[in-house]
Amino acid sequence: MYLAAHPVAYPLLRGLARCGPVVRVPGVGVVVNDASCARSVLMDGETFRKDGPGSPGDLWTPVLGPSVLLNMEGEAHRALRRRLTELFTPGYAEALVDDVLAVPLQAVSRRLASGETVDVVAMMRVMAGAVISRVIGLETASENDFRSLFEAGERIVSMVSLRTRRLSPAQIARARAVLDPLGDIAAKAYADGSPSTVMGRMRTLGLSETEARGAAAAFFLTGTETVATLVPRLIALLHDTSRAVSGDASHRPGGFADGPERPFGGAHEAADFLDRAIDEAMRATTPTPVMLRSVHAETRIADVPVRPGDRVLIATHNCCRAYGPFDPSRPQPPELRRLWFGAGPHFCLGYPLAMAEIRTVTRTLLAAGPLTITRRQAARGVLIPTYRRLHIKRGPEEGPR
């Protein structure tokens, strides 16, 4: 799947994994292939920053502005993050997702129960679009609108490849043409100030309108594709390894036609397995294949010296894949834990929302089992490797995988 998305860059990235935990690559920067080294870089927000040359700031500041967490450091970043800490608590995230997705997920369950085929990729585009619509404050309930919103974000993210350092003026203009109207909508929801909306909660938490607009744009860019691409790949991994758990009240085993015939100990064990499976799928697929930092002080990463102005490319995918194939039964070591969401001062603020969405959708699909995959195709020309289509159906397998 990575080869379909990045036929040239991916073999080069994987080749670098054989060069050692940290390696300097001319024209690329200092590449980090080791999870412990990567975590030490991410934890040091003073030396390794997101607002210098070769960092994410070079990519996104011209599009999002200077104050959106993605490109901030120091006290300004800490102050903004403190005000946003309570935005997506686990309880709030779960309630938001349940409210937004209850009706569409019921429809998916009915389709599977009646024997219809469901394209998990197309379904997740709508689901992710619906959730981010609620976050931004869009007043829409149309599947076409949700799908269009997701596709707009996909077009922006697809401008970036594993080799991109900066967006061109034309690319910046295209991105702003999408994001500016969404910022206006977010600003309206902010002005209304309802505590029932995410934008209204930002006002309550003390953010300015400009900060709220920037946060909405950042959530839009980072909060759709990660979830939408992960769920189809998680379903495929569970299917292919015959490891699944049913989410229904009977706690029946399986979830797939060829799933394990083993009962779980109850709801707690089922929920624990699902969370471990989600974490393991994220490790194996690595929705954030690389992370960028700019060096601001002379130091070393492992045995490699780095200087101010150096670009550090954390090969998250190499760090994660070093621990072997997908296996939810294997504990993840501390240095690896949720590395794909970052670490330290820039750990993903939307993590509870992403997990709530993935957990809710996956639980619904598995509860509709036994399921089988009847068709799949990898996507090409995308930043985050994913499927172009993944068809599932209740019952025994009838078509090619």
Side-chain angles (χ1 to χ4, degrees), residues 47 86 92 242 258 262 318:
T47 304
E86 297 302 314
Y92 179 80
S242 299
D258 56 354
R262 178 180 72 83
N318 289 346

Side-chain angles (χ1 to χ4, degrees), residues 136 138 178-191 209 213 216:
I136 294 172
L138 270 67
V178 172
L179 294 174
D180 286 350
L182 295 181
D184 294 339
I185 294 168
K188 180 180 182 299
Y190 173 90
E209 179 181 310
R213 286 179 67 115

Side-chain angles (χ1 to χ4, degrees), residues 19-20 22-23 71 88 97 103 124 151 197 249-250 300 304 328 379 389 394 401:
C19 296
V22 183
V23 57
N71 53 6
F88 292 124
V97 168
V103 172
M124 282 309 305
E151 291 171 353
T197 68
S250 66
R300 303 178 75 87
V304 177
R389 57 177 61 91
R394 180 179 172 85
R401 289 187 178 183

Side-chain angles (χ1 to χ4, degrees), residues 59-64 70 125 132 136 147-162 164 166-183 216-225 381-384:
L59 275 174
W60 298 119
T61 297
V63 175
L64 301 175
L70 297 176
R125 287 169 169 251
I132 206 64
I136 294 172
R147 192 177 295 109
S148 296
L149 183 66
F150 179 89
E151 291 171 353
E154 188 178 44
R155 285 194 297 273
I156 296 175
V157 175
S158 68
M159 297 177 188
V160 180
S161 73
L162 295 181
T164 303
R166 293 181 180 86
L167 298 178
S168 70
Q171 289 174 323
I172 292 169
R174 290 200 297 273
R176 293 295 297 269
V178 172
L179 294 174
D180 286 350
L182 295 181
F219 292 147
F220 172 67
L221 288 179
T222 62
T224 52
E225 284 207 76
V382 294
L383 176 63
I384 302 176

Side-chain angles (χ1 to χ4, degrees), residues 29-46:
V30 177
V31 179
V32 178
N33 298 307
D34 173 77
S36 294
C37 293
R39 187 168 292 276
S40 68
V41 168
L42 295 172
M43 294 296 290
D44 185 354
E46 297 301 322

Side-chain angles (χ1 to χ4, degrees), residues 313-391:
L313 187 150
I314 298 172
T316 325
H317 185 69
N318 289 346
C319 296
C320 292
R321 289 305 298 267
Y323 292 83
F326 176 77
D327 182 1
S329 67
R330 180 181 55 224
Q332 293 182 0
E335 69 272 13
L336 186 63
R337 187 166 177 78
R338 298 186 182 128
L339 189 66
W340 43 91
F341 280 115
H346 286 283
F347 184 79
C348 179
L349 192 70
Y351 162 75
L353 183 63
M355 286 297 292
E357 189 173 348
I358 294 166
R359 189 184 295 118
T360 299
V361 174
T362 305
R363 186 187 301 122
T364 299
L365 293 178
L366 298 184
L371 302 173
T372 190
I373 294 174
T374 62
R375 186 183 183 192
R376 70 178 86 186
Q377 181 181 7
R380 299 182 182 278
V382 294
L383 176 63
I384 302 176
T386 186
Y387 286 101
R388 182 181 178 187
R389 57 177 61 91
L390 184 81
H391 295 180

